[in-house]
Every structure is written in C-alpha cells, then in structure tokens.
Amino acid sequence: MQIDLAAAPADPGVYDERKRRLVETFTKLYLRGSWRPLERLIRRLHAADAAAVLVELPVPQVVDTLQAVSDLRHAAQIVNKMPLAIRHQIVEALPHKDLAELLENFRPDDLTDLIQALPDEQRDHPLSALDAESRSELDTLLAHDPGSAGGIMTTEFFSLPEACTVQEAIEALRGYADAEMVFYLFLTGEEGRLTGVISLRQLLLAPSDAQVADVMSGRVIRVRTDTEEEQVSRLFDKYRLLALPVVDDNDVLVGIITVDDIIDVIGESTTEDMLRMAGTRQSEMLTDSVFRIAGVRLPWLFAAFLGGLGATAVIGQYEEVLAQVIILSAFVPIIIGMAGNVGVQSATVTVRGLATGAINPRDTLVMVFKELRVGLLLGAFYGVILAAYGFWVYDSLQLGQVVGLTILTNMTGAALLAVSLPMLFVRLKADPAVATGPFVTTAIDVLGVLNYFAIASLIYGL
Amino acid sequence: MQIDLAAAPADPGVYDERKRRLVETFTKLYLRGSWRPLERLIRRLHAADAAAVLVELPVPQVVDTLQAVSDLRHAAQIVNKMPLAIRHQIVEALPHKDLAELLENFRPDDLTDLIQALPDEQRDHPLSALDAESRSELDTLLAHDPGSAGGIMTTEFFSLPEACTVQEAIEALRGYADAEMVFYLFLTGEEGRLTGVISLRQLLLAPSDAQVADVMSGRVIRVRTDTEEEQVSRLFDKYRLLALPVVDDNDVLVGIITVDDIIDVIGESTTEDMLRMAGTRQSEMLTDSVFRIAGVRLPWLFAAFLGGLGATAVIGQYEEVLAQVIILSAFVPIIIGMAGNVGVQSATVTVRGLATGAINPRDTLVMVFKELRVGLLLGAFYGVILAAYGFWVYDSLQLGQVVGLTILTNMTGAALLAVSLPMLFVRLKADPAVATGPFVTTAIDVLGVLNYFAIASLIYGL
C-alpha cells in the first residue's frame, strides 16, 4: 500500500484519497490493538501528514495512538500540527506522566503558544507536568508580549563562542540533535553578546582549519525582544532572511526566530486585520460553539446598532420633511450604500498600505488630498447619474438636485473619513484596522443621513 | 561615519536617521562626481538598504548612480528591491547596453515579474536588450499562469545528478556563483527526473566519500508547474519548507520556489483577497494618478449603485404604506446596516477560512447550518432590543413587531447568504473573495428592504 502522503501533496484529489485510506488503516490497527505496525506507520509519515490523518479520528483514539508513538519528538511535532482546539483536548486527556514526556519535546515557542491559548483554569494540568527548568524557561517566554520578537522567538537554538575553528563548529553541529532548523550559526563573544553569523554554506565551503571568526560576517541583522512582530516580519521580507537573532538590552543573544514562524505571523496578522475590519475578533473554528461565535460577533455589532439608532433618530427629526416629500425615503438605501462602499474601499487600501509599508504615516496629507480628489471624482460621476435618475423617474428637478448633491458630498466625505481615521490611529499608535471596522461605516451612515436631510430641507425650503 | 544600515534596522528611529545621512552623502558624492567612493559605499550596503536610500533620490540621479556600480549582480538586486513603479522608470531611462547588462543579472523570476507588470507598449526596450537565451527562458516563464508554481518559480537553481559523492557535490557547490539561496541540493536521475533531496546540513555532516544517493532522501515534496500558488504556499507552511522543486508532467525538474518568494505570495494573496472583498482590484500606489485610482474603483461601485436603485424602486412601490406610516422610513438605515454588518462578518470568516484551509468546501452544510443558528441568535438579540425601542419610543406595538421581526429575519438571511455564496463560488471554482465584495452587501440591501416592507404591509394590513 502506498502511504507516502508527503510525496504527493500537491494534487488534492490524490492526497485526500490516500488520507482516507490511512484513516481506515489507523482505525483498523487501533481496533486490533496492533500498536507496533501503527507506530511504524506513523514513523514513516511526515508529522504534518500524521496530524492530518489523526484529526479525522475521535480524540480518545488519538490520545491512545499518540501514547504508542515512541519517538516523542515526532509525537510533539504531530500534536503541534493539529488545530489548537484539538491540541487542548489532547493535553487535557493525556495522563500526567505521558503529558510531561510529550511537553518536554515541544519547542519552547510551541509550548508557549499552547499555554498562552489555554484559559487560566486549564493551565494547571500542563504546567504541573513541566520540570523546573522548562517551567522557568516558559515563564521567561510568557513574560514577553505575544506580539513581540520575544513572544515568537524560540530559546532553543544553536550558537557557539566565536573562538573556534570551522572543524570544531562542524563537530558541534553534528552533536546537536535538533539541527533541522539550523540555517545559520550565530557566534557570541564576551558574556554571550552576539558578534557574528556564518551560514551553513559558508561553513561547508571554508577550509576546516580556518578560525570561524575569520570567515564569519560581523554585520548581523538583529532585533530586540521588544521589537514588534510586524517589524520582524518586514525585516524577514526586506533582507530575505531565514533566521533572525533576538538580543536583550545588553546585546546578549537570547533567542532566534526562524522563517517558518514568520510565515505563520504574516498569515495570522493579515487575517486578524481582515477580521477586525469586518468587526469580529478571531478566526472561528468548526469546533467553536454557536454561542461562542455569536458572543464574539455580538459586541462589534453593537457599534453598528447604536449608529443605526442614531440614523433613525436623525430621520425621526425630519418627519415633517418626509411627510411632504415621501419619496425622499426611497433614496436612503442608495445614499447610505454608495458612501459606505467607497468608504470601505478607501479604508481597505489605507489599512493594507500601512500594514505592508506601501504607505508611510508621514504621507498623511498626500493621502488625504488624493482621497479627497478620488472621492470627488467618484461622487461627481454617480451624483450626476442619480440626479438624472431622480429627475427623470420622478419628474422633479428638486429631487434630482437633492440626491445628486448628497451623493457627491457623502461619497467625498466617506472617502476622506475612511482614509483619515486609519492614519490618525497609526499616529496615536493604535491599530488602524479597528478604526475601519463597524466604526467608520457607522459614522458614515449617521453623518450621511444627516447631510441628506439637511440638503433636502434647504432645497425644498422646508 | 557609521553607515551600516543593515545592522540596526529594528529601531526605526536610528534607521531613518542613518538613511537620511546616507541620502545626503549619496547626493554629495554624486554632485562631486566622486564615483569611486560612491561605488564603495554602495558595495558595503545591503541591496535592500541601498534601494531604500536610492528611492529617496530623483530618478536621473538613481540611473547615473546605478551605472557606476560595477558589481552588476548587486545592482540588479538593488533594483529589485525598489517599488515596481520606480523599477519601470529606471528600465526606461537606462541606455540599451547598460540595461542589457543589468537584466542579465536579474534572477529569471524577478525578470519575469518586471516584464509582466509592464504595459505592452513599454516591453520592447527591455526585451530587445535580452540575449537569445534569456529571451527564450523568459518566454518559457511568461507562458505559465502568473498565479501558478510555474509563474513564481525560478529556473536558476542548483541540482546535480544523483550519481556523485558528497565531496563532488561540495566541490560543485563551491563553483556555483549564486549559492546564496541554496538550502537543499536537488538530485536528478535519468532525463533530469527528480529523484532525491539532501540538505546542506546533511551534506555537511556526511562522510565526504559517501555516495550522495545513499544519504539523500528519496521522498521529495514537489509540485507541478500548474499547481496554484495558494496550494504552494500552503505546502510551505504545512511542511515548513525552505525550497520546493517544481517538475513538469514527466517529473523532470524545471525550477524551484524558495521561501522568500512565498513570503511575497502570502502577503500579496491575502492583500488581494482583502481588496477584492472591499470591491477594488489592486494595491494602489502613491504614484498612481487620481484618475487611475477612480477608474479601478468605479466599476465595483456600479454593483452597489444598481443594488441601491433596486432598493429605491422597492421602496417606491410601497409609497402608500410609507405615506400612512411615515416613521417606517426612519428604520431603513438600521435595518440595512445590521444585516450588512452581520453579512460582512460571516463572509469574512468564511473567505478567510477557505483561504487558510481552516474551512473545507466539504463542510458546506455544517457551515450553513451553523451560520443559520448564529444569525438567528444575533437576530433574536437585536430584534428584541429594536422591537422594544420601536414600541417604547413610538408607542406602537405594530411598529415594534415590524422592526423586530425584520431584524430577526434579515440578520438570519444575511448570515446565510454571506456564508453560502463564497462556498458556492468555491465549488464553481470561482474566487470566493469576489462573491463577498459589493455583491453580497448589495443583495442583502435589496432583499432586506423588500422583506421589511412585506412584513410592514402584512402587520399593518395595508
């Protein structure tokens, strides 16, 4: 039977079929109690593939199966490739001793992620399974802001004092168990201060009796533990890095961040931006309960609700105008909708530009002036069409004037507001994506309706 | 003077100050015509930093400065770190001979990106600068879909026949100029078919007289040229890869994709998703003209405009109802707004889930049923509040019933529509992000208003 998932992952059809067969085989071996063949099978699978198969099985079966895996490093990697919710269930279900052995084989940064995501009341079980050393390492990592370099770095890394030869460095690397993710060798001087870096390629090509200090590069791109993760991911992108050393205030090497962690950061931070702009907080999972999901979305909708009530109150004030020109109410949706849509466009472009570095907060005035002109252009275009429609369909010059002028001014105002708020938030060191959630659209709704009826009162002379 | 930008990039204040001084120095040396010192200075800068300094200068000065850089590989890397718009200006301004030399030092995938982004009428100048070999290589790459593995891979990579010793492999690597981005050695058998992979670390630690075939891994994760780039980036994430070989239909190795390219892909594809959901097409740049930006956004707004006119027409049909219960029009904004916001939440969660693989198209029914319940919960919550508000403020039981029922049904319907459309689009192999742009919100607006007045007619018996 062909079980090599990893060699054919690019064709989803083939992959899914093989995975389905593996799910069957896992279950068959499990029901028979054939632990040895099951363990051999798992050992031959890439951790990511083993995880993909296991998450299809019931949690008690997963826990029993994991306990049969003797390579604990592999077991830890498998668990780390599972969705957070399942990881938590496994941690809860594992007996104390097995959990202790498993957690010892977690990378420190993965362990931090796991504990960080657990509600306080569920932390005792895994924490008590840690030995004193892992526990103190974990405490150090947990002390950093999760959104900083210190919060995403791992403290398990390979470094050497700079006073060694190439041959000694290679020997040291040979004795290092978890060298899979070693791309560069970081070199340290007095008191562990970071002094240089050498790539594996340079090490491979250097004469074996050379001093490492003579072939290393002394210009090491580094970050401090408190550097923000967005800044970290920008550096990875800018300098095409595979790993980045993290130093403390005294320039002592305390951890490293590898490119695979950054791929997660980039994906997560953009996804978070999108979710915040949409007015929700975090990725929902299939396993989340309906009440939990509703609980996350409900508060954000409150901003929209209050805004809506505001608009209702505004229109209520103009009841007399409405009573005389009843058709004005028919145009409320299009007037709100057009301004809202242009606002979302401006806001998204601005928030993304700020996040990717394409827009500099310095350029606020340029951006605002540009959006002013874009808003005027778009507003003039759709304003003329709607004015013509109002005049033509309802045979009223006044109606045409009112709706046309409103579209022009509302679209321009919406574009201005939607570019200004994120820029302002960035300057206030707040998250621009939040500014563009329900808040901008709600502000646009209320101000838009107010403007509409103000213009209507003026033109109809009411 | 300290000029090492690369060693202190994490502190934006220090970085900006040093950059400012470098901008001054560049200009001083340029005005003096001191090409040698200028060239030495640039040689000591990381390409990304040299680019950051040069983009602050006028284009003619950049072109002259680049012509003074004798290390053409470095010059090409510098140009590649500049924004696309400036890259194009430089290409246009460089004399034929210098352009030819520069382009020869581009990585094939960077060259493809450059040409692909040029309007047709501007391609002649760079294309005529290429020699026959580069030209045919470029044509091969341009033939691939830009969103596929073939479109992002580079054809400049390091591979060896599997029949060699470790020592021979190291010697070959020593002779390979552009080894900077070599992480793995890919090995080929008959007719160039991909047969194995060995990491630099394995090469470093293996006995030098061993046969590469004995130490390599034969299980190579690979993609075909037509594999979609989203699938490629998922594989990088899943298997924590640094490089991924690309093969043709006959399993012949034709290119590789490196992790730094994937960082771009992840950022770009999420950004594109966001922009499409917001109803605009592409990242705007500070250099884009206002007319160009308005031109990109205008067509997307048309969907919202037509939808708005639809809602206007619907309300127009209910003019009689409105004339009798004028206050109904005051609730139009909140009724549209609440449904629209819950729709954006559902749609964003769904689109992101599909993009990150957290949601499987297979789970459509589960997702739809879940959103149905979330929508009902949220709709019931806000429906009861709005009903109470309507009853209390306007002292009308009927009004309370109408607005409460409308919020309940509209929010549920919006959540259902917003989850169903992206899932449907995925099954139809279309882009789910597009489905959730102005289209979903517009559909929600029109159907929502229709539902509102239908309920009102019924309850008021009009």
Side-chain angles (χ1 to χ4, degrees):
Chain A
M1 191 186 93
Q2 186 158 26
I3 57 119
D4 203 354
L5 275 170
D11 186 332
V14 175
Y15 186 84
D16 285 346
E17 171 57 21
R18 289 194 191 165
K19 195 172 86 174
R20 199 186 53 72
R21 278 161 56 196
L22 276 172
V23 169
E24 280 170 19
T25 311
F26 270 50
T27 305
K28 210 159 58 190
L29 295 173
Y30 169 73
L31 292 176
R32 273 201 220 131
S34 309
W35 301 113
R36 280 287 188 77
L38 186 55
E39 210 251 323
R40 261 203 308 276
L41 187 54
I42 293 175
R43 207 187 311 144
R44 285 167 60 199
L45 289 174
H46 191 290
D49 291 321
V53 173
L54 285 171
V55 295
E56 303 280 324
L57 303 172
V59 170
Q61 182 180 344
V62 175
V63 170
D64 290 347
T65 306
L66 282 173
Q67 284 173 282
V69 178
S70 58
D71 179 351
L72 289 167
R73 194 84 195 177
H74 194 47
Q77 282 167 348
I78 293 171
V79 172
N80 265 306
K81 280 295 180 181
M82 297 179 177
L84 205 56
I86 299 185
R87 246 182 284 167
H88 285 168
Q89 286 174 289
I90 291 171
V91 166
E92 225 169 296
L94 271 178
H96 194 274
K97 196 180 137 287
D98 292 313
L99 182 61
E101 287 176 350
L102 185 72
L103 293 185
E104 249 167 61
N105 282 283
F106 267 49
R107 285 170 33 158
D109 52 340
D110 291 333
L111 186 58
T112 313
D113 287 348
L114 179 82
I115 303 289
Q116 218 146 36
L118 276 178
D120 282 338
E121 66 274 16
Q122 285 174 38
R123 289 190 181 182
D124 281 348
H125 181 46
L127 284 180
S128 66
L130 295 175
D131 59 28
E133 194 197 339
S134 310
R135 181 68 190 266
S136 93
E137 197 172 53
L138 180 71
D139 286 340
T140 316
L141 284 177
L142 280 174
H144 295 293
D145 179 344
S148 72
I152 49 176
M153 72 182 185
T154 179
T155 49
E156 197 177 85
F157 58 88
F158 187 70
S159 72
L160 282 179
E162 59 175 0
C164 69
T165 66
V166 167
Q167 185 57 38
E168 284 165 355
I170 293 177
E171 285 304 320
L173 186 62
R174 208 184 291 273
Y176 184 68
D178 190 45
E180 199 185 325
M181 276 291 158
V182 174
F183 314 122
Y184 311 115
L185 203 61
F186 294 105
L187 301 154
T188 52
E190 270 175 65
E191 291 171 40
R193 290 211 177 87
L194 180 65
T195 52
V197 64
I198 182 167
S199 71
L200 285 193
R201 190 184 57 90
Q202 288 170 310
L203 209 57
L204 194 68
L205 303 185
S208 55
D209 57 348
Q211 284 292 313
V212 163
D214 295 333
V215 279
M216 75 181 191
S217 161
R219 294 167 57 184
V220 194
I221 299 172
R222 68 195 73 191
V223 291
R224 275 202 317 267
T225 48
D226 60 354
T227 305
E228 280 174 35
E229 65 177 8
E230 282 77 17
Q231 168 74 351
V232 172
S233 71
R234 268 203 286 271
L235 292 178
F236 267 90
D237 189 21
K238 182 171 176 185
Y239 297 108
R240 306 198 154 216
L241 303 172
L242 296 182
L244 184 63
V246 184
V247 296
D248 67 11
D249 291 342
N250 299 315
D251 217 26
V252 173
L253 182 62
V254 292
I256 64 162
I257 300 170
T258 51
V259 67
D260 50 313
D261 298 321
I262 283 304
I263 289 186
D264 294 343
V265 169
I266 295 175
E268 278 166 23
S269 73
T270 325
T271 296
E272 278 166 25
D273 264 15
M274 277 181 87
L275 293 173
R276 274 196 296 268
M277 284 189 68
T280 180
R281 205 184 55 203
Q282 57 189 52
S283 300
E284 289 163 11
M285 290 181 282
L286 267 180
T287 47
D288 280 347
S289 79
V290 169
F291 284 94
R292 195 183 144 76
I293 295 176
V296 168
R297 295 193 198 169
L298 194 129
W300 294 89
L301 289 171
F302 204 68
F305 189 76
L306 285 184
L309 282 187
T312 303
V314 166
I315 300 182
Q317 291 298 310
Y318 287 96
E319 216 177 319
E320 264 177 58
V321 179
L322 266 179
Q324 291 184 48
V325 195
I326 199 89
I327 201 59
L328 280 177
S329 65
F331 286 86
V332 168
I334 196 168
I335 275 163
I336 290 183
M338 292 307 285
N341 273 296
V342 86
V344 169
Q345 288 180 334
S346 302
T348 305
V349 168
T350 309
V351 169
R352 278 322 295 157
L354 287 167
T356 58
I359 296 175
N360 194 312
R362 207 174 45 198
D363 301 324
T364 303
L365 274 183
V366 183
M367 287 291 296
V368 168
F369 185 56
K370 184 163 260 183
E371 283 296 329
L372 171 68
R373 288 176 297 159
V374 171
L376 275 173
L377 262 180
L378 293 171
F381 181 86
Y382 284 109
V384 166
I385 301 187
L386 195 66
Y389 176 88
F391 173 65
W392 173 62
V393 173
Y394 297 94
D395 198 20
S396 157
L397 185 60
Q398 284 170 314
L399 182 67
Q401 286 175 325
V402 170
V403 294
L405 263 180
T406 306
I407 285 279
L408 174 68
T409 46
N410 280 10
M411 284 180 79
T412 308
L416 274 183
L417 196 69
V419 70
S420 308
L421 276 185
M423 300 299 268
L424 181 73
F425 268 52
V426 161
R427 287 180 166 231
L428 299 175
K429 311 264 173 224
D431 177 6
V434 170
T436 8
F439 302 102
V440 165
T441 41
T442 299
I444 289 175
D445 284 1
V446 180
L447 294 174
V449 168
L450 199 56
N451 186 46
Y452 179 41
F453 283 101
I455 291 178
S457 310
L458 203 74
I459 288 185
Y460 282 102
L462 294 165
Chain B
M1 191 188 95
Q2 185 160 23
I3 56 117
D4 203 351
L5 275 172
D11 187 332
V14 175
Y15 185 85
D16 285 346
E17 172 56 22
R18 288 196 192 162
K19 195 173 86 173
R20 198 188 52 73
R21 278 161 55 199
L22 275 172
V23 168
E24 280 170 19
T25 313
F26 269 50
T27 305
K28 209 160 56 192
L29 294 173
Y30 169 75
L31 291 175
R32 274 202 220 130
S34 308
W35 301 114
R36 279 287 188 80
L38 186 55
E39 211 250 323
R40 262 201 308 277
L41 186 54
I42 293 177
R43 208 188 307 145
R44 285 168 60 198
L45 288 173
H46 191 291
D49 292 320
V53 173
L54 286 172
V55 295
E56 305 280 323
L57 303 172
V59 171
Q61 182 180 343
V62 176
V63 170
D64 289 347
T65 307
L66 282 173
Q67 284 173 281
V69 178
S70 58
D71 178 351
L72 288 168
R73 193 85 194 176
H74 194 49
Q77 282 167 349
I78 294 171
V79 172
N80 265 306
K81 281 292 181 185
M82 297 179 175
L84 204 56
I86 299 183
R87 245 183 285 167
H88 285 169
Q89 287 173 291
I90 291 172
V91 165
E92 224 168 296
L94 271 177
H96 194 274
K97 196 180 139 289
D98 292 311
L99 181 62
E101 286 176 350
L102 185 73
L103 293 185
E104 247 166 61
N105 281 284
F106 267 50
R107 284 170 34 159
D109 52 340
D110 290 333
L111 186 59
T112 312
D113 287 349
L114 179 82
I115 303 289
Q116 218 146 37
L118 277 177
D120 282 339
E121 66 272 18
Q122 284 174 39
R123 290 189 180 183
D124 280 349
H125 181 44
L127 283 181
S128 66
L130 296 175
D131 58 28
E133 196 196 337
S134 311
R135 182 67 192 266
S136 93
E137 197 171 53
L138 178 72
D139 286 339
T140 315
L141 284 176
L142 281 174
H144 295 294
D145 179 344
S148 71
I152 50 177
M153 71 183 187
T154 177
T155 48
E156 197 176 85
F157 58 89
F158 186 69
S159 72
L160 281 180
E162 60 176 359
C164 69
T165 65
V166 167
Q167 187 55 38
E168 285 164 355
I170 294 177
E171 286 304 322
L173 187 61
R174 210 183 292 271
Y176 184 68
D178 188 45
E180 199 184 326
M181 277 290 158
V182 174
F183 315 121
Y184 310 116
L185 203 63
F186 294 105
L187 300 154
T188 52
E190 271 175 61
E191 291 170 41
R193 292 212 174 86
L194 180 65
T195 53
V197 64
I198 183 167
S199 71
L200 284 193
R201 188 184 58 90
Q202 288 170 313
L203 209 56
L204 194 68
L205 303 185
S208 56
D209 57 348
Q211 284 293 313
V212 162
D214 295 333
V215 279
M216 74 180 191
S217 161
R219 293 168 57 184
V220 193
I221 299 174
R222 68 195 74 193
V223 291
R224 276 203 315 267
T225 46
D226 60 354
T227 305
E228 281 174 33
E229 66 177 8
E230 282 78 18
Q231 168 73 354
V232 171
S233 71
R234 268 201 288 272
L235 292 178
F236 267 90
D237 189 21
K238 180 168 178 186
Y239 298 108
R240 306 197 153 217
L241 302 172
L242 296 180
L244 184 62
V246 184
V247 296
D248 67 10
D249 292 342
N250 298 315
D251 217 27
V252 172
L253 182 61
V254 292
I256 64 163
I257 300 169
T258 52
V259 66
D260 52 311
D261 297 321
I262 283 305
I263 289 186
D264 295 343
V265 169
I266 294 175
E268 278 166 24
S269 73
T270 327
T271 297
E272 278 166 24
D273 263 15
M274 278 181 87
L275 293 173
R276 272 196 298 266
M277 283 189 69
T280 178
R281 205 183 56 201
Q282 60 189 53
S283 300
E284 289 164 11
M285 291 182 282
L286 268 180
T287 47
D288 279 347
S289 80
V290 169
F291 284 94
R292 196 184 142 76
I293 295 176
V296 169
R297 295 191 197 170
L298 194 128
W300 294 89
L301 289 171
F302 204 68
F305 189 76
L306 284 184
L309 282 187
T312 303
V314 166
I315 301 181
Q317 290 298 310
Y318 287 95
E319 218 177 318
E320 264 179 57
V321 179
L322 267 177
Q324 293 186 46
V325 195
I326 200 96
I327 200 60
L328 280 177
S329 67
F331 285 86
V332 167
I334 194 168
I335 275 164
I336 290 183
M338 292 306 285
N341 273 296
V342 86
V344 169
Q345 289 181 333
S346 303
T348 306
V349 169
T350 309
V351 169
R352 278 322 295 156
L354 286 167
T356 59
I359 296 175
N360 193 311
R362 209 174 43 196
D363 301 324
T364 303
L365 275 183
V366 184
M367 288 289 297
V368 168
F369 185 56
K370 183 163 260 180
E371 283 296 328
L372 171 68
R373 288 175 297 159
V374 171
L376 275 172
L377 263 178
L378 293 170
F381 181 87
Y382 284 108
V384 167
I385 303 186
L386 195 66
Y389 176 88
F391 173 66
W392 173 63
V393 173
Y394 296 96
D395 197 20
S396 157
L397 185 61
Q398 284 170 313
L399 183 67
Q401 288 174 325
V402 170
V403 294
L405 264 179
T406 306
I407 286 279
L408 174 69
T409 46
N410 279 9
M411 284 179 81
T412 309
L416 274 184
L417 196 68
V419 69
S420 308
L421 277 186
M423 300 299 269
L424 180 73
F425 268 51
V426 162
R427 289 181 164 230
L428 298 177
K429 312 267 173 224
D431 177 7
V434 169
T436 7
F439 301 102
V440 165
T441 40
T442 299
I444 290 174
D445 284 2
V446 179
L447 294 174
V449 168
L450 199 55
N451 185 46
Y452 179 43
F453 283 101
I455 290 177
S457 308
L458 203 74
I459 289 185
Y460 283 102
L462 294 165

